[in-house]
Amino acid sequence: MRRATRWSLVAWLYCSAVGAGASTTGCVPDLPPDGVTGTASAAICGDGYVDLAAGEQCDPGANPGWGAGNVCNSKCQVECGDGGFLWPVNNHCYQAMSNAADLDPGAVSQCNNGGHVVTFGSEAEFGAVAWANDIGPFWVGLTTAASRPYVSEESFEPGWSATCPGCYAYTPDPTVPLRPWVGAWGDAGEDAAASYEQCVAAYSSPGTYWCQYPCYGLPSTRVVCEREPIGEQYTQCDAGVCVNLVVTQGRKHYLYIDTPTAPEDAEAQCTLGGGMLVVFESPEEREQLWKQLRMLTEPPARFWIGLHQVQNQTTGMPEWLWDDGTSAEGSTAHPSEWGDNEPSEPGATSRAYVRHIPQGIDDTLARNDEAEDLLPFVCQFPGPGVDTPSALAP
């Protein structure tokens, strides 16, 4: 099972032009509007909780040291600085630096002040950044060594491998390795580049593609830094931890329950509250949820999600279905969430889970091969609030 054909930059620009809240097949769902709706009050700003409904984009909490290595100003708004680009789907800042550099320590050092070398989880994110930073080749935060797959420089983000359906790289065929860089090495380019630990560069002009690239040595490559908003978008509530996300703000919210639970019981509890196990409609939704859960005192390593296996009534063959009724395959499917060499057939479970394995190729992606009987879980509910459904309150 493989991803459908990737979006072009033109398609991404079309989706953006359609506007916030529009329903367009193939577009990231419920894109937040450009700018802010509402104004965060002084009483809210500074408590460490990013109140998205009140218009906050960030909130470092008390004594934040505004502007010291972060992108949050004293009104709890994200400021990207000169030449910075704010992507409203995640409120991250992407900024092209003035100097080219080797990846490490050059590029890494340039981005260390509250950020990291840019990483990408989806076609939409890469399209936005490449279009806003038309600077030729720039580093992507993926590295590899020997025969290992590419791992992400940023924790809680997948790397990439040709055997990982849910991993992302900008390549025409995700089942084959990235093209080698030739450039100034001429005909000997592939052999010469192979002597270096391989990193990844993105070309946005002319043409757009990713390729293998020497991690150090000439020629140096441009740097795009990614900085993320500070603050928590979750709060403790009666049944567990209630979460809001930028990408789905106003349309749905989430409840994390840390009690180890059998998959059928987790599904029943979400249904009892008027929701379902979480369905990832975009990679941004999965990434943003993981990044909130990682800030908990005891963050989960795995949890059940709303992806299950059923028997197709027409073919009699097993197929994977999201709990909202959307198939996990085909042109109308949500973006693939499967990890390396997944789904496993036959697997250990007919209910998928996601896992966090630090520096894993498929970090945070879905698996069904070795789940434990009992795992925590995340429910999703319609609407903008963070209140616990009364049926789930103790």
Side-chain angles (χ1 to χ4, degrees):
M1 186 171 61
R2 283 284 155 189
R3 280 178 294 234
T5 303
R6 300 180 181 281
W7 294 0
S8 67
L9 298 187
V10 173
W12 180 86
L13 293 173
Y14 166 70
C15 292
S16 299
V18 168
S23 177
T24 304
T25 301
C27 297
V28 175
D30 194 37
L31 294 180
D34 293 329
V36 182
T37 56
T39 302
S41 69
I44 296 174
C45 187
D47 63 359
Y49 174 67
V50 183
D51 192 337
L52 298 173
E56 290 188 346
Q57 297 175 322
C58 53
D59 194 325
N63 303 314
W66 304 106
N70 64 56
V71 294
C72 196
N73 68 22
S74 59
K75 295 182 180 180
C76 284
Q77 301 297 290
V78 171
E79 288 185 344
C80 294
D82 293 340
F85 163 69
L86 174 68
W87 195 38
V89 176
N90 58 15
N91 285 343
H92 291 193
C93 285
Y94 304 85
Q95 186 168 18
M97 310 304 285
S98 58
N99 296 324
D102 293 335
L103 179 62
D104 192 3
V108 172
S109 297
Q110 289 189 43
C111 297
N112 267 346
N113 189 23
H116 58 84
V117 176
V118 64
T119 56
F120 299 102
S122 72
E123 191 80 1
E125 183 180 14
F126 177 63
V129 175
W131 175 72
N133 296 283
D134 187 11
I135 60 173
F138 60 90
W139 291 114
V140 176
L142 295 174
T143 57
T144 188
S147 59
R148 291 189 310 150
Y150 290 96
V151 296
S152 177
E153 294 289 287
E154 179 69 1
S155 183
F156 285 88
E157 290 190 17
W160 180 78
S161 167
T163 59
C164 179
C167 295
Y168 172 74
Y170 192 89
T171 176
D173 185 350
T175 66
V176 300
L178 294 178
R179 61 188 289 184
W181 174 80
V182 178
W185 304 88
D187 294 337
E190 186 172 353
D191 292 337
S195 65
Y196 291 85
E197 182 180 25
Q198 288 304 298
C199 296
V200 177
Y203 281 73
S204 59
S205 178
T208 307
Y209 57 91
W210 290 12
C211 68
Q212 302 173 32
Y213 204 87
C215 300
Y216 55 91
L218 295 177
S220 296
T221 303
R222 296 293 297 276
V223 181
V224 175
C225 297
E226 180 178 1
R227 292 182 169 85
E228 304 175 11
I230 300 170
E232 301 170 353
Q233 292 167 208
Y234 65 87
T235 183
Q236 296 291 330
C237 50
D238 289 340
V241 178
C242 289
V243 184
N244 272 355
L245 303 177
V246 176
V247 69
T248 55
Q249 171 60 24
R251 190 164 63 83
K252 62 180 178 179
H253 58 285
Y254 310 84
L255 174 67
Y256 168 64
I257 297 180
D258 64 1
T259 304
T261 305
E264 60 273 13
D265 293 334
E267 179 182 4
Q269 288 192 51
C270 293
T271 302
L272 180 65
M276 64 182 70
L277 283 166
V278 63
V279 173
F280 295 133
E281 298 177 61
S282 69
E284 285 73 29
E285 183 176 7
R286 170 185 46 78
E287 180 180 323
Q288 290 177 33
L289 180 61
W290 266 114
K291 289 191 174 183
Q292 293 305 307
L293 296 181
R294 76 176 180 180
M295 292 188 284
L296 299 175
T297 303
E298 296 183 4
R302 306 179 183 190
F303 59 87
W304 297 118
I305 61 173
L307 181 59
H308 65 282
Q309 192 175 52
V310 297
Q311 187 176 44
N312 186 293
Q313 295 182 353
T314 301
T315 65
M317 300 297 291
E319 67 174 342
W320 286 90
L321 194 71
W322 288 98
D323 286 11
D324 66 355
T326 302
S327 174
E329 302 182 58
S331 59
T332 60
H334 298 315
S336 174
E337 289 297 324
W338 290 113
D340 194 29
N341 292 300
E342 288 290 304
S344 177
E345 303 288 356
T349 175
S350 60
R351 166 68 65 179
Y353 65 96
V354 288
R355 71 174 186 181
H356 167 52
I357 303 295
Q359 290 296 296
I361 175 61
D362 57 356
D363 190 21
T364 75
L365 293 175
R367 306 191 67 87
N368 75 309
D369 60 340
E370 54 183 25
E372 301 172 7
D373 293 335
L374 306 177
L375 293 176
F377 59 98
V378 174
C379 304
Q380 67 175 44
F381 304 96
V386 294
D387 294 333
T388 302
S390 57
L392 295 180

